[in-house]
Amino acid sequence: MTVLVVGAGPAGLATAVTLARHGVPTLVVERRPEPSPLPRATGISTRTMELIRSWGLEERVRAAGVDVRGQAWIGPSLVSPDGIALDTVWPHPDVVARLSPTAPACVPQDALEAVLLDHLTGFAHVEVRFGTELVAVRQADGTVEATLRDGGTGAVTVFRPDHLVAADGARSPVRDALGIETDDVGGDDGPRGMLGSPWLGARATLFRAPLPGGSLWDVLGDRRYFIYTVTNPEASGVLLPAGDGRWLFGQDWDLQAPTPTDEDLAGQIATAVGLPDLRPTVLRTGTFSFDARMARRYRDGAVFLVGDAAHRMTPRGGTGLNTAVHDGHDLGWKLAWVTLGWASPELLDSYETEREPIGRRNTTLSARSFGSYRDPAEELDFDLGGRVAHAWVDHAAGGQDGGGQEGGDQHGGTASPQRVAVAGRISTLDLLGPGLTVLTGPDAPAADRQAADRETLGHALGGTLTAQVPIRAWRLDGRAAEALGIPAGGSLTLRPDGKPVVRSAPGLVAAGPAR
Ligand SMILES: Cc1cc2nc3c(=O)[nH]c(=O)nc-3n(C[C@H](O)[C@H](O)[C@H](O)COP(=O)(O)OP(=O)(O)OC[C@H]3O[C@@H](n4cnc5c(N)ncnc54)[C@H](O)[C@@H]3O)c2cc1C
């Protein structure tokens, strides 16, 4: 009944949160002695914010972010008004408001990770061990054996989880130990480097630059963007707000070049900002590569790869963290269903089938020279990933039908049969439960009798469902039912991620697209 998650980055934390909320005993090991202080990703997509909202963490995550427009500013320096704003991958706020109960956010990765880690401390059945490294993994006769070393004491323990999740990043030691190779995805004819350089290297420098009596935001005024591209050839690069008064300066970088001094970097930052007298404090600097590679497999027996371990993207397009979180959620609920006895192990086969094409698409686009500039509407559609439509619900009545007494949403869900009614600012997405969710229109005589039989549902999901899987049924008001395309007398059965499993109309049951 245990899952071992290796790595406490976004992929590992999203997997652990999903397992935790289903009540699955989980151990997370992270080799760093403490959380990473580096912001790295700052663009949190609409779908990622929807998952965060479903975990009850939206306000905390948004509060840790920076209030900016989701466009890029391109100009000769940060403070120069002689530039233009360009759409990148972020959708227009009006479009998002129609399609989602939330919106993308600019939140530094370290702040997001801190909120997720804090959330995990609320679950007695989850343990997160920092300073603990997985040093060996092997599988024999269907059993996983993981060797863990305590970085402080050097003590070594052997752990035998039911499943192991390799969320151990782009260099994934677990992937290597299992002999899973990776392939470059190619790109286009253009250079892959950050700003069109022939190098695959980049340097990211974290800094603070307070101004007397204020900050850079006071100089920027209304020009608040989530990324600024500086074209001045003396200090070309990108500047990104990283929260808490910090900024990131990213440059194309020859990985063979010597490491610059903090003084050199401070001078380049002052030039890129466009304030020659600026005296920035360099907090950290490091290099990374614009590699774009896919693992040949996402799974080996009871071991699953998630996040960068499965697909290493360049930062272009800002999909690395988001794809990692979505992988973790997808694998998390499927592992939970199998572990809790709600579904047969075949359900786990759909993890790679569904997630690999998404990882490949995002990795390939990130390798293209202009991969940062995409059609925002198309990108939003892809990000939402085929989940049920969002509509605000005026009124819904329902509850949960048996099953899943020991599992269920451990935070705020209904783990026992009950009847409730909701009204107000509730989205159709807020009605999703940890098991199956059945939505009907107002005319349905008994919403909870509308679910198709478990055999049909299991077939549509690619596994066998047991009587334990909880089914939460809701009768919607007419407006919401119409927005979701539920015909009179029909129903829509959804997975925990909101993807349709089965649509039924009177006299017809059809398996829905599982993407
Ligand atoms: C400069 C930069 C900017 C970026 N900007 C964006 C952006 O705007 N949007 C976006 O979506 N993505 C962005 N990314 C990508 C994003 O940061 C990564 O895709 C994301 O961190 C992947 O998460 P992960 O959990 O898969 O891996 P990681 O975050 O790398 O986490 C893996 C963890 O596993 C741990 N680990 C490794 N081996 C072991 C072991 N043997 N035992 C125990 N623990 C182990 C590591 O210490 C690490 O903490 C950016 C990346 C960079 C470098």
Side-chain angles (χ1 to χ4, degrees), residues 7-49:
L13 293 174
T15 313
V17 166
T18 310
L19 288 164
R21 297 183 67 88
H22 276 83
V24 176
T26 303
L27 172 64
V28 183
V29 292
E30 167 56 55
R31 73 174 163 203
R32 293 180 205 276
E34 55 195 28
S36 167
L38 292 178
R40 293 188 289 168
T42 55
I44 313 298
S45 78
T46 309
R47 181 61 192 150
T48 305
M49 286 304 293

mmCIF file of all heavy atoms in Angstrom, residues 7-49:
data_model
loop_
_atom_site.group_PDB
_atom_site.id
_atom_site.type_symbol
_atom_site.label_atom_id
_atom_site.label_comp_id
_atom_site.label_asym_id
_atom_site.label_seq_id
_atom_site.Cartn_x
_atom_site.Cartn_y
_atom_site.Cartn_z
ATOM 1 N N GLY A 7 12.340 12.504 -5.478
ATOM 2 C CA GLY A 7 12.461 13.869 -5.984
ATOM 3 C C GLY A 7 11.303 14.739 -5.529
ATOM 4 O O GLY A 7 10.140 14.372 -5.705
ATOM 5 N N ALA A 8 11.639 15.880 -4.909
ATOM 6 C CA ALA A 8 10.597 16.803 -4.421
ATOM 7 C C ALA A 8 10.567 18.073 -5.259
ATOM 8 O O ALA A 8 10.475 19.184 -4.739
ATOM 9 C CB ALA A 8 10.821 17.120 -2.947
ATOM 10 N N GLY A 9 10.658 17.914 -6.587
ATOM 11 C CA GLY A 9 10.417 19.032 -7.502
ATOM 12 C C GLY A 9 8.924 19.062 -7.814
ATOM 13 O O GLY A 9 8.130 18.346 -7.185
ATOM 14 N N PRO A 10 8.517 19.845 -8.812
ATOM 15 C CA PRO A 10 7.082 19.954 -9.124
ATOM 16 C C PRO A 10 6.427 18.618 -9.471
ATOM 17 O O PRO A 10 5.295 18.358 -9.053
ATOM 18 C CB PRO A 10 7.058 20.885 -10.341
ATOM 19 C CG PRO A 10 8.349 21.615 -10.302
ATOM 20 C CD PRO A 10 9.348 20.745 -9.623
ATOM 21 N N ALA A 11 7.127 17.746 -10.209
ATOM 22 C CA ALA A 11 6.518 16.467 -10.601
ATOM 23 C C ALA A 11 6.287 15.587 -9.378
ATOM 24 O O ALA A 11 5.201 15.014 -9.192
ATOM 25 C CB ALA A 11 7.416 15.743 -11.609
ATOM 26 N N GLY A 12 7.306 15.479 -8.517
ATOM 27 C CA GLY A 12 7.184 14.632 -7.333
ATOM 28 C C GLY A 12 6.145 15.174 -6.365
ATOM 29 O O GLY A 12 5.349 14.412 -5.791
ATOM 30 N N LEU A 13 6.133 16.494 -6.189
ATOM 31 C CA LEU A 13 5.181 17.076 -5.235
ATOM 32 C C LEU A 13 3.743 16.941 -5.742
ATOM 33 O O LEU A 13 2.828 16.652 -4.967
ATOM 34 C CB LEU A 13 5.531 18.550 -4.974
ATOM 35 C CG LEU A 13 6.865 18.762 -4.236
ATOM 36 C CD1 LEU A 13 7.214 20.244 -4.153
ATOM 37 C CD2 LEU A 13 6.815 18.156 -2.833
ATOM 38 N N ALA A 14 3.533 17.120 -7.056
ATOM 39 C CA ALA A 14 2.169 16.976 -7.599
ATOM 40 C C ALA A 14 1.698 15.528 -7.460
ATOM 41 O O ALA A 14 0.532 15.266 -7.123
ATOM 42 C CB ALA A 14 2.136 17.406 -9.064
ATOM 43 N N THR A 15 2.602 14.575 -7.693
ATOM 44 C CA THR A 15 2.230 13.160 -7.527
ATOM 45 C C THR A 15 1.879 12.902 -6.066
ATOM 46 O O THR A 15 0.857 12.273 -5.756
ATOM 47 C CB THR A 15 3.409 12.237 -7.927
ATOM 48 O OG1 THR A 15 3.957 12.669 -9.166
ATOM 49 C CG2 THR A 15 2.955 10.793 -8.049
ATOM 50 N N ALA A 16 2.742 13.394 -5.171
ATOM 51 C CA ALA A 16 2.535 13.130 -3.741
ATOM 52 C C ALA A 16 1.249 13.778 -3.230
ATOM 53 O O ALA A 16 0.510 13.172 -2.444
ATOM 54 C CB ALA A 16 3.738 13.634 -2.949
ATOM 55 N N VAL A 17 0.964 15.002 -3.675
ATOM 56 C CA VAL A 17 -0.265 15.675 -3.221
ATOM 57 C C VAL A 17 -1.487 14.874 -3.682
ATOM 58 O O VAL A 17 -2.438 14.655 -2.921
ATOM 59 C CB VAL A 17 -0.324 17.132 -3.749
ATOM 60 C CG1 VAL A 17 -1.720 17.722 -3.588
ATOM 61 C CG2 VAL A 17 0.703 18.006 -3.028
ATOM 62 N N THR A 18 -1.456 14.399 -4.928
ATOM 63 C CA THR A 18 -2.604 13.647 -5.451
ATOM 64 C C THR A 18 -2.774 12.332 -4.687
ATOM 65 O O THR A 18 -3.890 11.956 -4.310
ATOM 66 C CB THR A 18 -2.421 13.382 -6.961
ATOM 67 O OG1 THR A 18 -2.087 14.617 -7.597
ATOM 68 C CG2 THR A 18 -3.684 12.840 -7.591
ATOM 69 N N LEU A 19 -1.664 11.637 -4.437
ATOM 70 C CA LEU A 19 -1.736 10.392 -3.655
ATOM 71 C C LEU A 19 -2.217 10.685 -2.242
ATOM 72 O O LEU A 19 -3.059 9.972 -1.689
ATOM 73 C CB LEU A 19 -0.349 9.735 -3.608
ATOM 74 C CG LEU A 19 0.143 9.100 -4.911
ATOM 75 C CD1 LEU A 19 1.647 8.852 -4.849
ATOM 76 C CD2 LEU A 19 -0.605 7.787 -5.181
ATOM 77 N N ALA A 20 -1.677 11.751 -1.662
ATOM 78 C CA ALA A 20 -2.034 12.112 -0.285
ATOM 79 C C ALA A 20 -3.528 12.369 -0.163
ATOM 80 O O ALA A 20 -4.186 11.890 0.764
ATOM 81 C CB ALA A 20 -1.249 13.354 0.134
ATOM 82 N N ARG A 21 -4.073 13.111 -1.116
ATOM 83 C CA ARG A 21 -5.489 13.480 -1.034
ATOM 84 C C ARG A 21 -6.399 12.270 -1.233
ATOM 85 O O ARG A 21 -7.560 12.294 -0.855
ATOM 86 C CB ARG A 21 -5.810 14.589 -2.037
ATOM 87 C CG ARG A 21 -5.053 15.890 -1.743
ATOM 88 C CD ARG A 21 -5.444 16.994 -2.689
ATOM 89 N NE ARG A 21 -6.821 17.393 -2.473
ATOM 90 C CZ ARG A 21 -7.217 18.316 -1.604
ATOM 91 N NH1 ARG A 21 -6.327 18.956 -0.876
ATOM 92 N NH2 ARG A 21 -8.494 18.601 -1.466
ATOM 93 N N HIS A 22 -5.857 11.197 -1.849
ATOM 94 C CA HIS A 22 -6.626 9.955 -1.975
ATOM 95 C C HIS A 22 -6.422 9.050 -0.763
ATOM 96 O O HIS A 22 -7.036 7.987 -0.676
ATOM 97 C CB HIS A 22 -6.206 9.193 -3.243
ATOM 98 C CG HIS A 22 -6.892 9.666 -4.493
ATOM 99 N ND1 HIS A 22 -6.470 10.750 -5.217
ATOM 100 C CD2 HIS A 22 -7.984 9.189 -5.151
ATOM 101 C CE1 HIS A 22 -7.258 10.922 -6.269
ATOM 102 N NE2 HIS A 22 -8.190 9.993 -6.252
ATOM 103 N N GLY A 23 -5.496 9.415 0.118
ATOM 104 C CA GLY A 23 -5.280 8.607 1.322
ATOM 105 C C GLY A 23 -4.255 7.504 1.153
ATOM 106 O O GLY A 23 -4.238 6.549 1.935
ATOM 107 N N VAL A 24 -3.378 7.615 0.145
ATOM 108 C CA VAL A 24 -2.391 6.551 -0.099
ATOM 109 C C VAL A 24 -1.099 6.848 0.675
ATOM 110 O O VAL A 24 -0.515 7.927 0.517
ATOM 111 C CB VAL A 24 -2.072 6.456 -1.612
ATOM 112 C CG1 VAL A 24 -0.975 5.421 -1.864
ATOM 113 C CG2 VAL A 24 -3.325 6.108 -2.394
ATOM 114 N N PRO A 25 -0.619 5.906 1.496
ATOM 115 C CA PRO A 25 0.648 6.112 2.207
ATOM 116 C C PRO A 25 1.783 6.358 1.218
ATOM 117 O O PRO A 25 1.989 5.574 0.287
ATOM 118 C CB PRO A 25 0.853 4.794 2.971
ATOM 119 C CG PRO A 25 -0.508 4.206 3.082
ATOM 120 C CD PRO A 25 -1.239 4.616 1.836
ATOM 121 N N THR A 26 2.498 7.445 1.413
ATOM 122 C CA THR A 26 3.505 7.871 0.434
ATOM 123 C C THR A 26 4.756 8.365 1.152
ATOM 124 O O THR A 26 4.661 9.106 2.131
ATOM 125 C CB THR A 26 2.930 9.022 -0.435
ATOM 126 O OG1 THR A 26 1.724 8.573 -1.049
ATOM 127 C CG2 THR A 26 3.905 9.466 -1.511
ATOM 128 N N LEU A 27 5.916 7.951 0.637
ATOM 129 C CA LEU A 27 7.191 8.480 1.137
ATOM 130 C C LEU A 27 7.847 9.244 -0.007
ATOM 131 O O LEU A 27 8.009 8.709 -1.104
ATOM 132 C CB LEU A 27 8.104 7.334 1.597
ATOM 133 C CG LEU A 27 9.543 7.736 1.956
ATOM 134 C CD1 LEU A 27 9.571 8.678 3.158
ATOM 135 C CD2 LEU A 27 10.389 6.492 2.250
ATOM 136 N N VAL A 28 8.207 10.506 0.242
ATOM 137 C CA VAL A 28 8.930 11.311 -0.748
ATOM 138 C C VAL A 28 10.360 11.466 -0.247
ATOM 139 O O VAL A 28 10.570 11.873 0.901
ATOM 140 C CB VAL A 28 8.298 12.721 -0.911
ATOM 141 C CG1 VAL A 28 9.031 13.517 -1.993
ATOM 142 C CG2 VAL A 28 6.816 12.627 -1.233
ATOM 143 N N VAL A 29 11.347 11.115 -1.092
ATOM 144 C CA VAL A 29 12.740 11.351 -0.699
ATOM 145 C C VAL A 29 13.362 12.370 -1.645
ATOM 146 O O VAL A 29 13.121 12.345 -2.852
ATOM 147 C CB VAL A 29 13.589 10.051 -0.687
ATOM 148 C CG1 VAL A 29 13.129 9.134 0.424
ATOM 149 C CG2 VAL A 29 13.576 9.339 -2.025
ATOM 150 N N GLU A 30 14.128 13.279 -1.078
ATOM 151 C CA GLU A 30 14.767 14.351 -1.847
ATOM 152 C C GLU A 30 16.212 14.451 -1.388
ATOM 153 O O GLU A 30 16.476 14.577 -0.196
ATOM 154 C CB GLU A 30 14.014 15.672 -1.615
ATOM 155 C CG GLU A 30 14.726 16.924 -2.079
ATOM 156 C CD GLU A 30 15.132 16.920 -3.553
ATOM 157 O OE1 GLU A 30 14.271 16.709 -4.415
ATOM 158 O OE2 GLU A 30 16.348 17.109 -3.827
ATOM 159 N N ARG A 31 17.141 14.397 -2.348
ATOM 160 C CA ARG A 31 18.541 14.355 -1.928
ATOM 161 C C ARG A 31 19.063 15.694 -1.423
ATOM 162 O O ARG A 31 20.013 15.738 -0.653
ATOM 163 C CB ARG A 31 19.417 13.816 -3.046
ATOM 164 C CG ARG A 31 19.651 14.733 -4.199
ATOM 165 C CD ARG A 31 20.666 14.115 -5.148
ATOM 166 N NE ARG A 31 20.618 14.762 -6.442
ATOM 167 C CZ ARG A 31 21.031 14.197 -7.557
ATOM 168 N NH1 ARG A 31 21.504 12.973 -7.546
ATOM 169 N NH2 ARG A 31 20.970 14.847 -8.695
ATOM 170 N N ARG A 32 18.437 16.792 -1.849
ATOM 171 C CA ARG A 32 18.873 18.087 -1.308
ATOM 172 C C ARG A 32 18.562 18.127 0.190
ATOM 173 O O ARG A 32 17.508 17.643 0.614
ATOM 174 C CB ARG A 32 18.078 19.240 -1.926
ATOM 175 C CG ARG A 32 18.305 19.492 -3.377
ATOM 176 C CD ARG A 32 17.410 20.667 -3.784
ATOM 177 N NE ARG A 32 17.098 20.643 -5.192
ATOM 178 C CZ ARG A 32 17.885 21.139 -6.133
ATOM 179 N NH1 ARG A 32 19.017 21.713 -5.792
ATOM 180 N NH2 ARG A 32 17.533 21.079 -7.396
ATOM 181 N N PRO A 33 19.430 18.779 0.968
ATOM 182 C CA PRO A 33 19.127 18.863 2.406
ATOM 183 C C PRO A 33 17.929 19.758 2.697
ATOM 184 O O PRO A 33 17.293 19.651 3.745
ATOM 185 C CB PRO A 33 20.412 19.438 3.016
ATOM 186 C CG PRO A 33 21.204 19.990 1.879
ATOM 187 C CD PRO A 33 20.746 19.323 0.623
ATOM 188 N N GLU A 34 17.619 20.645 1.762
ATOM 189 C CA GLU A 34 16.473 21.546 1.952
ATOM 190 C C GLU A 34 15.920 21.924 0.580
ATOM 191 O O GLU A 34 16.577 21.691 -0.442
ATOM 192 C CB GLU A 34 16.890 22.798 2.724
ATOM 193 C CG GLU A 34 18.040 23.514 2.094
ATOM 194 C CD GLU A 34 18.683 24.521 3.041
ATOM 195 O OE1 GLU A 34 18.622 24.320 4.263
ATOM 196 O OE2 GLU A 34 19.239 25.497 2.525
ATOM 197 N N PRO A 35 14.718 22.521 0.538
ATOM 198 C CA PRO A 35 14.148 22.875 -0.772
ATOM 199 C C PRO A 35 15.072 23.799 -1.562
ATOM 200 O O PRO A 35 15.808 24.599 -0.983
ATOM 201 C CB PRO A 35 12.849 23.590 -0.404
ATOM 202 C CG PRO A 35 12.501 23.081 0.956
ATOM 203 C CD PRO A 35 13.804 22.818 1.646
ATOM 204 N N SER A 36 15.011 23.686 -2.899
ATOM 205 C CA SER A 36 15.845 24.536 -3.749
ATOM 206 C C SER A 36 15.403 25.995 -3.629
ATOM 207 O O SER A 36 14.212 26.292 -3.695
ATOM 208 C CB SER A 36 15.709 24.086 -5.208
ATOM 209 O OG SER A 36 16.268 25.067 -6.054
ATOM 210 N N PRO A 37 16.365 26.936 -3.461
ATOM 211 C CA PRO A 37 15.996 28.354 -3.378
ATOM 212 C C PRO A 37 15.913 29.017 -4.755
ATOM 213 O O PRO A 37 15.707 30.218 -4.849
ATOM 214 C CB PRO A 37 17.153 28.946 -2.569
ATOM 215 C CG PRO A 37 18.329 28.093 -2.934
ATOM 216 C CD PRO A 37 17.813 26.727 -3.282
ATOM 217 N N LEU A 38 16.068 28.223 -5.843
ATOM 218 C CA LEU A 38 16.077 28.827 -7.182
ATOM 219 C C LEU A 38 14.672 28.924 -7.760
ATOM 220 O O LEU A 38 13.932 27.935 -7.750
ATOM 221 C CB LEU A 38 16.947 27.992 -8.124
ATOM 222 C CG LEU A 38 18.440 28.007 -7.823
ATOM 223 C CD1 LEU A 38 19.183 27.104 -8.788
ATOM 224 C CD2 LEU A 38 18.969 29.430 -7.913
ATOM 225 N N PRO A 39 14.297 30.082 -8.292
ATOM 226 C CA PRO A 39 12.938 30.217 -8.831
ATOM 227 C C PRO A 39 12.701 29.392 -10.100
ATOM 228 O O PRO A 39 11.660 28.810 -10.271
ATOM 229 C CB PRO A 39 12.805 31.706 -9.136
ATOM 230 C CG PRO A 39 14.102 32.334 -8.854
ATOM 231 C CD PRO A 39 15.054 31.321 -8.311
ATOM 232 N N ARG A 40 13.673 29.290 -10.984
ATOM 233 C CA ARG A 40 13.528 28.608 -12.286
ATOM 234 C C ARG A 40 12.211 28.973 -12.975
ATOM 235 O O ARG A 40 12.039 30.079 -13.404
ATOM 236 C CB ARG A 40 13.699 27.100 -12.126
ATOM 237 C CG ARG A 40 15.121 26.749 -11.723
ATOM 238 C CD ARG A 40 15.362 25.274 -11.746
ATOM 239 N NE ARG A 40 14.669 24.610 -10.667
ATOM 240 C CZ ARG A 40 14.507 23.297 -10.570
ATOM 241 N NH1 ARG A 40 14.964 22.506 -11.510
ATOM 242 N NH2 ARG A 40 13.896 22.774 -9.553
ATOM 243 N N ALA A 41 11.235 28.054 -13.047
ATOM 244 C CA ALA A 41 9.999 28.357 -13.775
ATOM 245 C C ALA A 41 9.195 29.429 -13.045
ATOM 246 O O ALA A 41 9.149 29.452 -11.819
ATOM 247 C CB ALA A 41 9.162 27.096 -13.907
ATOM 248 N N THR A 42 8.560 30.299 -13.825
ATOM 249 C CA THR A 42 7.682 31.300 -13.207
ATOM 250 C C THR A 42 6.281 31.293 -13.824
ATOM 251 O O THR A 42 5.365 31.877 -13.264
ATOM 252 C CB THR A 42 8.264 32.723 -13.356
ATOM 253 O OG1 THR A 42 8.511 32.966 -14.740
ATOM 254 C CG2 THR A 42 9.561 32.887 -12.573
ATOM 255 N N GLY A 43 6.123 30.643 -14.981
ATOM 256 C CA GLY A 43 4.825 30.672 -15.669
ATOM 257 C C GLY A 43 3.974 29.472 -15.284
ATOM 258 O O GLY A 43 4.269 28.343 -15.661
ATOM 259 N N ILE A 44 2.924 29.701 -14.497
ATOM 260 C CA ILE A 44 2.044 28.615 -14.056
ATOM 261 C C ILE A 44 0.796 28.664 -14.940
ATOM 262 O O ILE A 44 0.063 29.658 -14.935
ATOM 263 C CB ILE A 44 1.650 28.782 -12.565
ATOM 264 C CG1 ILE A 44 2.896 29.089 -11.708
ATOM 265 C CG2 ILE A 44 0.914 27.557 -12.060
ATOM 266 C CD1 ILE A 44 3.951 28.013 -11.689
ATOM 267 N N SER A 45 0.552 27.592 -15.679
ATOM 268 C CA SER A 45 -0.500 27.613 -16.706
ATOM 269 C C SER A 45 -1.900 27.550 -16.096
ATOM 270 O O SER A 45 -2.071 27.253 -14.910
ATOM 271 C CB SER A 45 -0.316 26.435 -17.666
ATOM 272 O OG SER A 45 -0.789 25.241 -17.069
ATOM 273 N N THR A 46 -2.896 27.789 -16.944
ATOM 274 C CA THR A 46 -4.292 27.752 -16.492
ATOM 275 C C THR A 46 -4.626 26.390 -15.887
ATOM 276 O O THR A 46 -5.206 26.300 -14.800
ATOM 277 C CB THR A 46 -5.239 28.015 -17.689
ATOM 278 O OG1 THR A 46 -4.801 29.195 -18.364
ATOM 279 C CG2 THR A 46 -6.672 28.191 -17.229
ATOM 280 N N ARG A 47 -4.259 25.316 -16.581
ATOM 281 C CA ARG A 47 -4.621 23.980 -16.094
ATOM 282 C C ARG A 47 -3.897 23.669 -14.776
ATOM 283 O O ARG A 47 -4.474 23.056 -13.877
ATOM 284 C CB ARG A 47 -4.286 22.922 -17.159
ATOM 285 C CG ARG A 47 -4.638 21.502 -16.764
ATOM 286 C CD ARG A 47 -6.132 21.309 -16.496
ATOM 287 N NE ARG A 47 -6.417 20.032 -15.862
ATOM 288 C CZ ARG A 47 -7.426 19.807 -15.024
ATOM 289 N NH1 ARG A 47 -8.272 20.775 -14.712
ATOM 290 N NH2 ARG A 47 -7.609 18.622 -14.504
ATOM 291 N N THR A 48 -2.633 24.106 -14.680
ATOM 292 C CA THR A 48 -1.920 23.881 -13.418
ATOM 293 C C THR A 48 -2.626 24.633 -12.294
ATOM 294 O O THR A 48 -2.800 24.104 -11.191
ATOM 295 C CB THR A 48 -0.449 24.333 -13.550
ATOM 296 O OG1 THR A 48 0.133 23.661 -14.666
ATOM 297 C CG2 THR A 48 0.350 23.994 -12.306
ATOM 298 N N MET A 49 -3.071 25.865 -12.570
ATOM 299 C CA MET A 49 -3.792 26.621 -11.539
ATOM 300 C C MET A 49 -5.121 25.943 -11.197
ATOM 301 O O MET A 49 -5.582 26.002 -10.058
ATOM 302 C CB MET A 49 -4.023 28.070 -11.992
ATOM 303 C CG MET A 49 -2.771 28.941 -11.966
ATOM 304 S SD MET A 49 -1.917 29.011 -10.354
ATOM 305 C CE MET A 49 -3.107 29.885 -9.339
#
